[in-house]
Amino acid sequence: MSSRTNIASTLRAPTELVARGLAPASDLTALEKVASRYAVAITPDIAALIHPGDPNDPIARQFIPSADELVTEKNERDDPIGDHSHSPVAGIVHRYPDRVLFKLVHVCAVYCRFCFRREMVGPGKDNALSDRAYAEALDYIRAHTEIWEVILTGGDPLMLSDRRLRQIMKDLAAIDHVKIIRIHTRIPVADPDRITDGIVAALKVGNATTWVALHANHARELTEKARASIARLVDAGIPMVSQSVLLAGVNDDVATLEALMRAFVECRIKPYYLHHGDLAPGTAHLRTTLAQGQELMRRLRGRVSGLCQPDYVLDIPGGAGKSPVGPGYISPQESVADERELRPETRYRIVDYCGEVHLYPPV
């Protein structure tokens, strides 16, 4: 199936989900209310992964709308990570000194039920930057020589045509101080046929290094087709990292996280971020607690290779940026005198992966 056919066959209406057996008819009224506010799209590749008879299916939980999304908690917000407060011109988010987000489009192949930009993406929103806004964004990047990395996001930038992507990559690579162009995408798992030789060629440029960050949350998403699409990118010399979100009922147990991280590494993708769920409206049913996340990371540390360890991070609400929030393994114990050098030295308590405590330096 071609990518164009894949997109044309995408399920977008609750009535289609019910007809396919992916949602119960009794939920139709509530799901139509959800779909009137938040975008719905499930590609054939993702739909094929869902087990209709399993009410706890982790793929369905990511993509099938739920009546729980109609409940907004008081601490949830439309712009949970503060993109707007760090946007000097349309399409640009400049939160950190050496890098910017470049939001080119506001559409995706699939819409995640936990998306932190769910109020900004989907049908009815501005689908892409105007030519004028695009030019002004490029001017901003040119004028700020501290920008070393440009991160293409949205929406999903790989929804753009090969021709448009090729031009964007050339425009960015022509800016002397831009050395890294990173693309955030779900396309290799949501629509693997989209990763053609043409798109791979469009992503490779001479004066900057291209990286691709793949978003996936469960090992089942990394099908044979998905792995083949990933291999096309990596074999072409494009390094890849992963992004995942810790989600209740999807990957909030250590065995599932272990399988996911190992699957990434087997695909030559370095696990990068495991995000704590953002305070997007209607997503409380998918969020874990920080304590749960820390315990999962502590257990993961003892089970899998260092190659499989992501950073567990929280985007601080309001726009203060990401902070590591994983478990701590070190704490001061006491100051002891070093008789050889006659100066105090702090001794630390170090916790190993089994939970045992050790003193360093040893007694």
Side-chain angles (χ1 to χ4, degrees), residues 216-217 242-247 251 257 260-261 271-277 293 296-297 300 310-314 325:
N217 299 311
S242 75
Q243 292 196 104
S244 303
V245 181
L246 183 61
L247 297 166
N251 56 17
L257 276 182
L260 175 62
M261 298 306 156
Y272 183 33
Y273 281 145
L274 177 64
H275 294 271
H276 188 75
L296 285 169
M297 289 301 298
L300 194 67
D311 278 338
Y312 180 40
V313 295
L314 171 71
V325 290

Side-chain angles (χ1 to χ4, degrees), residues 262-282:
R262 283 182 168 168
F264 281 139
V265 173
E266 290 164 9
C267 291
R268 295 174 286 174
I269 297 173
K270 175 66 182 78
Y272 183 33
Y273 281 145
L274 177 64
H275 294 271
H276 188 75
D278 294 310
L279 296 175

Side-chain angles (χ1 to χ4, degrees), residues 1 4 14 54 68 90 93 148 161 171 173 191 201 215 231 278 314 332 346 354:
M1 184 181 292
R4 181 172 296 181
D54 181 1
D68 291 332
V93 178
W148 173 77
S161 69
D171 289 344
D191 185 15
H215 177 185
D278 294 310
L314 171 71
T346 299
C354 295

Side-chain angles (χ1 to χ4, degrees), residues 123-190:
K125 310 298 193 299
D126 292 333
N127 286 341
L129 288 180
S130 67
D131 290 345
R132 179 176 177 179
Y134 177 75
E136 289 176 350
L138 283 180
D139 286 343
Y140 180 88
I141 295 169
R142 291 188 190 102
H144 288 262
T145 57
E146 74 274 21
I147 296 172
W148 173 77
E149 179 181 24
V150 176
I151 301 165
L152 305 185
T153 182
D156 194 317
L158 296 193
M159 292 291 285
L160 294 166
S161 69
D162 295 2
R163 179 194 60 78
R164 182 63 174 148
L165 279 170
R166 187 179 302 110
Q167 187 60 55
I168 291 165
M169 296 296 289
K170 287 181 177 179
D171 289 344
L172 291 171
I175 302 172
D176 288 342
H177 54 270
V178 173
K179 301 301 182 185
I180 304 294
I181 305 171
R182 191 196 326 167
I183 294 133
H184 285 189
T185 185
R186 253 195 183 280
I187 290 291
V189 297

